[in-house]
């Protein structure tokens, strides 16, 4: 049972994970008759290192799965990674450019070789980080979004949706990234407020009778204008509908049309229509059968339809066009204008609304199915539940999803075009005469494959044993920032493809922020590498901080100091465990625990508190309230077990009978065993290290989760112990105040009016003697108090210390006045609650009773302190 004197996380964690994996403790067993419990890891992108958000995410998952494994479930914690199309391609492109290689020169197949090499390299880094964090993953089940099985699932899903009419190919205004030259879905666009300009331009009426004033923030798109639109009820323009204007600079004649989309009160009430370069104009164009003139190349350069501006970058063309409009007298005015502009999430380029032929998923039927599911008994529970409103709102207002991407790294769209006829064929495999067909070069949006993750990883579309046992999964743990990106897409994909929800619960956490509450980012340079934190403080300290540092759905502020305080907590656990094991002795094992027989008050109290803690930790864990779990465990371990029980255990261990010593050993080891098990999901390494000293046969990973033993609950013990602790704390506090060390004996008098309480104090006075060092200890129903006595009213007793010559009368009066103010404040607070009719009628009866008890206690203390003050002041 020998433990090193000092806790060293590096030594404790070294090699432990490898032993766990080698022993197969994390493996699921599809043939087991245990109740299944499954979580799929949100697959990290193979683009780089894991950040603190990943560490937080996976720690929460690992805590849940470790606890369930200990509770006897057959746990599958499934690992995997995402190919992350555009992000990975950008990284590989950058690496090739550094080597002087252009992907277009080497071609698609050769580029994909480089991309797969990148994937293998970074997958290795990610696995090493999983190991360092201690994640209990079943590596036999590891998946990748581009592996053969998942690719089959992607193709089947695409073909099924296409055959149902839910995937279509069409010309549409999409979000276009001119830098990476690919389409973006709405949620890949980051909107930023920037200072732009409103350009007010004259559009002359062709008959020479005047002009219309048109305002635009993107004058370069004028080159593709095909109409001017006004509201049909706008009295200013009723007579102009059907006439034409001449497009400035270009000279093209544009019809003036009427459409109720126009806001009469905004600007001049007339607006230009550019169907190929604006989504709203596109819809207007469809309603009025307008031509679509695309004046831009995919790279943001004006094409030949832009006339004199052909070959110019879109922003250079804007400058030149503005100058020409000014020179030719068409510019009425230019106003500064703050507006929200879309930027590509990946390249940060300003997004161009762009007319393009793309593949789309028709979202309305899928969204309706998801919303309907939330009204049934198969609904998914969001934690916190406010995020269900977020999910529903997005589903109710969803737009069709553009799923094609102009990339090489990803799932190539399973559609082929006949080389001669142009006929379209969609299927899971190429047509039989494949040499006559050319496959669509685009790939699918990364989220298309990760939307299938909970069931494709289990073997779907095959009817595998894993799918039958572990799907639907039990809980998804992820950040609230990807509800739209991923959570929603998994829900509608799973309901559509399998008829089942993908998971029972969605546990959402926030973002990790720095101490100044700023989001961590490369630009701010405030990011923290979790591996660096582990090197400094150990994985257990980081895991405990991440998992207990906030409530569900809330952001988390990172600071080294907070992680260091957890290290101190672990160090306290280490030292307490070491002390307990040294005192228990090497020959005393878990098998020797015998809790039948006579127990001391301290024994009964710690066993009762242990039962309460087990119940609280289990309940709070099931509710995902890990921050509260941390608070409960910290209070029990640090205060109750370390600071009080271990100290009180020294009394029988030093001076007790053999029977008392044996009971103390049993209670110490029993409590320590349960503490280690409750801590294990949070601190897997250090708990296993300590556990191995008391049970070399079994890893704590596969030990049993603690349960409440009602035979070890002693209701009266808590009240008795609370009274003793309050008395001991009071004496110690007073000793500190008057600079009287514990080594110096002093007279202590305890006034305990209640007969039962007084009897309890008498029974357990050896604890008071042990921890307060009295010269004489008096316990009575009434104590005569003198001016030079120091009195302290605690719940159930008054502590009287004759400190003649040790205290300053004026200082004591000042202290008591301060205490009187504090008690007055507590009385006002609790009276305010009890005088609130709403609180009294709505709060549970138990809570109201507790508040009444507090009120009575504070009142009694107030009267005692007031009497003592009057005595010192000489007031009768």
């Amino acid at each position: 049972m020998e433990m090193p004197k000092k806790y060293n996380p590096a030594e404790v964690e070294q090699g432990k994970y490898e032993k766990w994996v080698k022993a197969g403790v994390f493996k699921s067993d599809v043939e087991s008759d245990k109740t299944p419990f499954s979580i799929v890891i949100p697959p990290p992108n193979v683009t780089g290192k894991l950040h603190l958000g990943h560490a937080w995410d996976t720690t929460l998952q690992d805590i849940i799965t470790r606890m369930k494994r200990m509770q006897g479930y057959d746990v599958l914690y499934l690992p995997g990674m995402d190919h992350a199309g555009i992000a990975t391609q950008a990284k590989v492109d950058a690496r090739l450019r550094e080597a002087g290689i252009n992907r277009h020169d080497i071609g698609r197949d050769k580029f994909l070789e480089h991309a797969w090499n990148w994937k293998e390299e970074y997958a290795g880094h990610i696995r090493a980080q999983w190991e360092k964090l201690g994640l209990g993953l079943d590596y036999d089940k590891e998946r990748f979004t581009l592996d053969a099985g998942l690719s089959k699932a992607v193709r089947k899903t695409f073909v099924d949706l296409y055959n149902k009419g839910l995937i279509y190919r069409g010309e549409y205004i999409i979000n276009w990234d001119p830098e990476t030259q690919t389409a973006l879905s709405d949620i890949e666009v980051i909107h930023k407020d920037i200072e732009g300009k409103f350009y007010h331009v004259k559009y002359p009426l062709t008959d020479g009778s005047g002009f219309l004033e048109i305002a635009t923030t993107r004058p370069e798109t004028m080159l593709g204008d095909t109409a001017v639109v006004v509201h049909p009820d706008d009295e200013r323009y009723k007579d102009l509908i059907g006439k034409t204007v001449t497009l400035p600079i270009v000279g093209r004649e544009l019809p003036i049309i009427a459409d109720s989309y126009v806001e009469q009160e905004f600007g001049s009430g007339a607006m230009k229509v550019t169907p190929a370069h604006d989504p709203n104009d596109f819809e207007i164009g469809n309603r009025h059968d307008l031509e679509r003139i695309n004046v831009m190349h995919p790279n943001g350069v004006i094409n030949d339809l832009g006339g004199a501006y052909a070959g110019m970058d879109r922003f250079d063309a804007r400058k030149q066009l503005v100058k020409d409009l000014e020179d030719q007298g068409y510019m009425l005015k230019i106003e500064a204008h703050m507006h929200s502009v879309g930027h590509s999430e990946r390249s940060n380029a300003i997004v161009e609304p762009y007319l393009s032929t793309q593949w789309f998923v028709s979202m309305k039927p899928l969204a309706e199915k998801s919303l309907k599911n939330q009204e049934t008994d198969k609904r998914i529970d969001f934690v916190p539940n406010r995020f269900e409103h977020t999910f529903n709102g997005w589903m109710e207002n969803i737009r069709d999803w553009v799923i094609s991407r102009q990339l090489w790294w990803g799932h190539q769209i399973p559609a082929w075009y006949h080389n001669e006829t142009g006929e379209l064929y969609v299927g899971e495999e190429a047509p039989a005469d494949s040499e006559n067909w050319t496959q669509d070069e685009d790939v699918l949006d990364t989220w298309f494959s990760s939307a299938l993750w909970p069931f494709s990883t289990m073997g779907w579309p095959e009817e595998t044993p894993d799918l039958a046992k572990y799907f639907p999964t039990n809980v998804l743990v992820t950040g609230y920032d990807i509800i739209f990106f991923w959570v929603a897409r998994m829900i509608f994909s799973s309901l559509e493809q399998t008829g089942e929800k993908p998971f029972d619960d969605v546990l959402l956490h926030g973002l990790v922020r720095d101490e100044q509450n700023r989001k961590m980012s490369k630009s701010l340079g405030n990011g923290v590498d979790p591996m660096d934190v582990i090197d400094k403080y150990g994985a257990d300290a980081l895991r405990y901080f991440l998992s207990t540092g906030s409530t569900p759905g809330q952001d988390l502020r990172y600071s080294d100091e907070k992680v260091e305080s957890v290290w101190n907590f672990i160090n306290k656990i280490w030292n307490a465990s070491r002390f307990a094991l040294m005192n228990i002795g090497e020959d005393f094992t878990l098998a020797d625990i015998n809790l039948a027989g006579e127990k001391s008050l301290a024994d009964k109290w710690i066993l009762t508190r242990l039962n309460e803690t087990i119940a609280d930790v289990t309940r709070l864990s099931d509710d995902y309230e890990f921050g509260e779990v941390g608070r409960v465990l910290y209070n029990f371990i640090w205060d109750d077990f370390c600071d009080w029980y271990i100290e009180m255990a020294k009394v029988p261990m030093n001076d007790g009978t053999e029977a008392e010593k044996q009971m103390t050993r049993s209670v110490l080891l029993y409590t320590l065993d349960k503490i280690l098990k409750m801590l294990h999901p949070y601190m897997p390494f250090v708990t296993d290290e300590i556990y191995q000293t008391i049970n070399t046969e079994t890893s704590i990973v596969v030990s049993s989760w603690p349960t409440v033993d009602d035979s070890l609950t002693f209701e009266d013990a808590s009240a008795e112990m609370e009274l003793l602790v309050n008395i001991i704390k009071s004496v110690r506090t007073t000793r500190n105040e008057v600079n009287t060390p514990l080594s110096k004996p002093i007279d202590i008098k305890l006034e305990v009016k209640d007969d039962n309480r007084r009897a309890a104090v008498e029974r357990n006075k050896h604890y008071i003697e042990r921890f307060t060092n009295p010269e004489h200890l008096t316990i009575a129903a009434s104590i005569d108090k003198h001016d030079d006595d120091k009195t302290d009213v605690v719940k159930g007793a008054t502590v009287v210390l004759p400190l003649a010559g040790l205290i300053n009368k004026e200082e004591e009066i000042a202290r008591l006045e301060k205490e009187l103010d504090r008690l007055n404040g507590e009385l006002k607070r609790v009276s305010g609650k009890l005088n609130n009719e709403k609180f009294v009628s709505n709060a549970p009866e138990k809570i109201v009773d507790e508040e009444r008890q507090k009120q009575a206690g504070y009142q009694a203390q107030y009267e005692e302190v007031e009497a003592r003050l009057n005595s010192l002041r000489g007031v009768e």
Side-chain angles (χ1 to χ4, degrees):
M1 287 195 181
E2 189 63 36
M3 284 175 63
K5 288 183 180 179
K6 289 189 176 180
Y7 164 60
N8 183 325
E11 290 179 6
V12 166
E13 293 169 17
Q14 181 66 38
K16 197 170 289 295
Y17 189 81
E18 191 181 352
K19 288 179 184 175
W20 288 335
V21 172
K22 193 174 180 181
V25 295
F26 302 136
K27 287 187 178 180
S28 56
D29 181 3
V30 75
E31 295 181 0
S32 164
D33 58 2
K34 293 180 179 179
T35 304
F37 187 92
S38 58
I39 289 181
V40 291
I41 201 167
N45 296 343
V46 286
T47 48
K49 294 179 178 179
L50 303 182
H51 52 65
L52 270 178
H54 288 118
W56 187 7
D57 208 48
T58 51
T59 294
L60 293 177
Q61 295 154 30
D62 195 50
I63 285 169
I64 295 167
T65 53
R66 282 181 183 270
M67 179 177 167
K68 292 298 179 182
R69 192 178 291 112
M70 295 171 78
Q71 288 178 323
Y73 289 82
D74 173 29
V75 171
L76 171 59
Y77 182 16
L78 188 146
M81 301 175 206
D82 197 309
H83 66 282
I86 192 169
T88 303
Q89 179 155 320
K91 294 275 190 182
V92 177
D93 263 340
R95 177 181 280 185
L96 291 175
R97 279 198 301 273
E98 287 174 9
I101 301 171
N102 184 302
R103 70 179 164 96
H104 295 286
D105 293 339
I106 61 173
R108 186 174 194 140
D109 290 344
K110 196 70 180 170
F111 173 81
L112 290 177
E113 284 181 26
H114 286 281
W116 278 103
N117 290 338
W118 173 283
K119 179 263 175 184
E120 289 306 318
E121 178 184 342
Y122 278 88
H125 295 329
I126 289 168
R127 287 190 202 101
Q129 291 171 311
W130 285 344
E131 176 179 342
K132 214 165 178 180
L133 278 164
L135 306 184
L137 297 159
D138 185 349
Y139 288 103
D140 290 349
K141 304 289 174 70
E142 184 177 341
R143 304 305 297 267
F144 180 56
T145 49
L146 277 180
D147 70 27
L150 270 66
S151 296
K152 181 178 181 180
V154 166
R155 291 195 301 274
K156 176 170 173 51
T157 300
F158 186 97
V159 173
D160 285 353
L161 292 176
Y162 178 81
N163 289 337
K164 291 174 183 175
L166 294 174
I167 282 182
Y168 63 93
R169 190 168 186 256
E171 196 174 50
Y172 206 78
I173 294 287
I174 48 92
N175 303 302
W176 183 260
D177 181 341
E179 190 169 311
T180 59
Q181 295 191 44
T182 187
L184 303 172
S185 66
D186 289 347
I187 51 180
E188 290 171 300
V189 178
I190 308 300
H191 289 274
K192 301 178 185 178
D193 287 335
I194 64 173
E195 187 170 332
K197 291 186 173 74
F198 244 140
Y199 302 91
H200 295 257
V201 182
K202 284 183 185 179
Y203 277 49
L205 290 160
T206 309
D207 62 10
S209 60
F211 64 87
L212 292 181
E213 180 182 336
I214 305 294
T216 179
T217 58
R218 298 160 63 219
E220 68 278 7
T221 62
M222 286 174 56
L223 304 171
D225 285 357
T226 53
V228 167
V229 63
V230 296
H231 195 281
D233 300 331
D234 195 326
E235 294 295 335
R236 293 170 293 179
Y237 304 120
K238 272 193 171 181
D239 295 338
L240 296 180
I241 296 168
K243 293 188 174 184
T244 61
V245 294
T246 302
L247 180 59
I249 307 294
V250 178
R252 189 163 57 245
E253 209 169 311
L254 309 179
I256 300 172
I257 61 174
D259 194 287
S260 56
Y261 171 80
V262 180
E263 294 179 37
Q264 296 181 62
E265 298 78 21
F266 185 76
S268 67
M271 56 177 268
K272 70 192 198 69
V273 185
T274 320
H277 291 277
D278 183 276
N280 298 313
D281 293 8
F282 178 84
E283 298 295 346
I284 294 170
N286 283 352
R287 288 195 288 273
H288 298 273
D289 198 24
L290 298 176
E291 185 183 1
R292 301 166 185 164
I293 303 175
N294 188 342
V295 299
M296 211 174 287
H297 288 300
N299 61 357
V301 171
I302 304 300
N303 63 25
D304 290 344
L305 295 176
Y309 306 96
M312 290 185 183
D313 174 79
R314 53 184 170 156
F315 298 122
D316 292 336
R318 177 183 297 180
K319 289 176 188 173
Q320 186 59 50
L321 183 57
V322 167
K323 184 178 183 302
D324 292 346
L325 288 167
E326 288 175 324
D327 291 346
Q328 297 181 36
Y330 291 110
M331 188 67 72
L332 289 165
K333 61 180 175 179
I334 301 174
E335 297 175 311
H337 174 61
M338 285 296 294
H339 61 144
S340 181
V341 176
H343 289 68
S344 168
E345 182 191 39
R346 298 298 182 189
S347 70
N348 202 40
I350 290 179
V351 169
E352 189 67 38
Y354 191 71
L355 184 67
S356 177
T357 301
Q358 301 286 343
W359 289 91
F360 294 85
V361 173
S362 181
M363 283 304 309
K364 193 174 179 185
L366 298 172
E368 285 174 350
K369 188 176 286 189
S370 300
L371 289 166
K372 196 170 183 181
N373 182 72
Q374 290 305 100
E375 298 171 2
T376 71
D377 58 0
K378 289 188 176 182
R379 68 188 307 279
I380 294 163
D381 289 323
F382 286 76
V383 182
N385 60 15
R386 67 177 182 273
F387 286 109
E388 182 173 4
H389 178 73
T390 306
F391 167 78
N392 288 343
W394 192 63
M395 285 299 197
E396 286 162 0
N397 297 286
I398 203 162
R399 289 175 57 184
D400 284 357
W401 174 20
V402 54
I403 54 171
S404 44
R405 297 290 183 273
Q406 289 64 52
L407 303 169
W408 288 350
W409 176 242
H411 294 276
Q412 197 167 348
I413 289 174
W416 286 260
Y417 307 96
H418 196 278
N419 295 338
E420 293 178 9
T421 66
E423 177 192 348
L424 172 65
Y425 166 80
V426 172
E428 292 184 51
E429 304 297 337
D433 54 337
S434 57
E435 67 279 1
N436 296 322
W437 298 78
T438 300
Q439 188 171 359
D440 195 309
E441 291 198 350
D442 288 354
V443 300
L444 289 163
D445 178 10
T446 304
W447 298 103
F448 191 92
S449 52
S450 55
L452 315 181
W453 188 249
F455 52 95
S456 63
T457 53
M458 307 282 187
W460 185 91
E462 305 301 324
E463 293 181 5
T464 65
D466 279 357
L467 188 70
K469 183 171 187 180
Y470 301 113
F471 181 81
T473 63
N474 293 83
V475 57
L476 174 80
V477 184
T478 191
Y480 62 60
D481 54 331
I482 58 171
I483 292 176
F484 312 134
F485 282 100
W486 191 42
V487 178
R489 286 170 173 166
M490 282 189 286
I491 292 171
F492 68 66
S493 296
S494 182
L495 290 170
E496 181 65 25
Q497 298 308 120
T498 72
E500 298 278 357
K501 60 183 177 181
F503 23 73
D504 297 326
D505 299 341
V506 180
L507 172 60
L508 294 154
H509 60 77
L511 305 174
V512 184
R513 297 182 178 274
D514 67 11
E515 287 185 87
Q516 298 172 48
N517 203 32
R518 300 177 302 176
K519 187 176 177 181
M520 290 186 173
S521 67
K522 288 179 183 176
S523 59
L524 289 173
N526 62 345
V528 175
D529 186 335
M531 301 304 121
D532 292 342
V533 180
I534 290 173
D535 289 340
K536 191 172 182 181
Y537 299 108
D540 288 326
L542 176 63
R543 285 171 60 111
Y544 193 83
F545 161 72
L546 289 172
S547 54
T548 64
S550 77
T551 55
Q554 297 300 310
D555 292 345
L556 175 69
R557 286 197 195 186
Y558 176 85
S559 79
D560 266 359
E561 287 177 10
K562 290 177 182 175
V563 183
E564 187 174 3
S565 72
V566 176
W567 185 93
N568 289 330
F569 178 41
I570 299 173
N571 200 49
K572 179 91 168 179
I573 296 163
W574 181 271
N575 291 334
S577 302
R578 187 171 177 274
F579 172 84
L581 295 174
M582 284 171 61
N583 279 272
I584 288 167
E586 289 186 17
D587 297 334
F588 195 89
T589 68
L590 289 171
D592 297 315
I593 292 174
N594 182 359
L595 295 174
E598 191 66 31
K599 299 173 188 65
S600 69
L601 173 65
D603 293 336
K604 291 178 179 178
W605 169 71
I606 199 66
L607 291 170
T608 303
R609 286 289 298 115
L610 176 62
N611 270 338
E612 291 169 354
T613 303
I614 291 169
D616 286 345
V617 167
T618 305
R619 173 180 53 81
L620 291 166
S621 296
D622 287 341
D623 291 340
Y624 310 118
E625 291 285 355
F626 302 118
E628 281 297 291
V629 170
R631 182 187 60 78
V632 168
L633 282 174
Y634 184 93
N635 291 342
F636 175 70
I637 295 166
W638 190 293
D639 296 339
D640 298 344
F641 184 65
C642 296
D643 285 358
W644 287 103
Y645 183 72
I646 283 180
E647 289 302 309
M648 289 181 164
K650 291 176 182 176
V651 177
M653 292 301 286
N654 292 332
D655 306 318
T657 64
E658 187 54 36
E660 288 170 338
K661 288 179 180 179
Q662 281 294 90
M663 179 57 71
T664 305
R665 291 188 188 106
S666 290
V667 174
L668 261 176
L669 192 55
Y670 179 83
T671 306
L672 179 60
D673 174 64
K674 302 298 184 270
I675 285 172
L676 292 173
K677 288 176 177 178
M678 285 188 286
L679 279 171
H680 174 69
Y682 300 83
M683 305 174 177
F685 293 101
V686 71
T687 50
D688 197 39
E689 181 75 7
I690 300 170
Y691 189 76
Q692 289 295 307
T693 64
I694 62 175
N695 188 341
T696 55
E697 305 277 318
T698 313
S699 168
I700 197 170
V701 178
V702 290
S703 67
S704 297
W705 182 257
T707 54
V708 171
D709 184 342
D710 290 329
S711 70
L712 299 177
T713 292
F714 307 91
E715 291 181 5
D716 293 340
S718 290
E720 289 185 21
M721 190 66 177
E722 183 185 7
L723 178 56
L724 290 180
V725 167
N726 287 340
I727 290 168
I728 293 166
K729 282 181 176 178
S730 171
V731 174
R732 286 178 165 181
T733 299
T734 301
R735 279 180 170 278
N736 286 335
E737 287 173 356
V738 297
N739 295 317
T740 303
L742 192 60
S743 57
K744 181 176 180 176
I746 59 172
D747 285 350
I748 300 173
K749 300 177 182 180
L750 302 177
E751 183 178 87
V752 188
K753 290 185 168 67
D754 181 85
D755 292 344
N756 291 331
R757 285 177 175 168
R758 190 167 63 257
V761 174
E762 285 280 5
R763 273 197 311 273
N764 296 286
K765 67 181 181 181
H766 55 286
Y767 290 125
I768 298 171
E769 291 166 344
R770 169 73 174 77
F771 294 111
T772 64
N773 190 18
E775 177 89 25
H776 300 101
L777 177 62
T778 305
I779 304 167
S782 178
I783 299 285
D784 290 333
K785 303 174 189 73
H786 304 94
D787 288 353
D788 290 331
D789 289 351
K790 160 71 169 62
T791 62
D792 187 27
V793 181
V794 299
K795 186 179 176 183
T798 300
V799 181
V800 182
L801 303 182
L803 297 177
L806 293 178
I807 67 166
N808 180 300
K809 187 174 179 181
E810 285 70 29
E811 286 179 0
E812 179 65 0
I813 288 173
R815 187 190 72 80
L816 289 171
E817 285 174 340
K818 191 174 179 182
E819 178 65 4
L820 208 63
D821 285 344
R822 184 188 73 80
L823 290 167
N824 190 44
E826 293 290 356
L827 278 167
K828 282 182 178 176
R829 182 189 61 77
V830 75
S831 297
K833 271 191 177 182
L834 292 171
N835 292 334
N836 183 334
E837 197 175 311
K838 198 171 181 182
F839 169 77
V840 174
S841 57
N842 292 335
E845 191 176 336
K846 182 185 174 187
I847 301 295
V848 177
D849 286 344
E850 285 175 1
E851 291 300 317
R852 290 195 176 112
Q853 288 172 25
K854 284 180 190 176
Q855 186 183 44
Y858 290 138
Q859 186 61 41
Q861 291 178 56
Y862 185 92
E863 289 168 4
E864 288 277 1
V865 171
E866 188 176 44
R868 172 65 179 149
L869 255 176
N870 290 338
S871 172
L872 284 172
R873 290 167 176 160
V875 178
E876 291 297 327

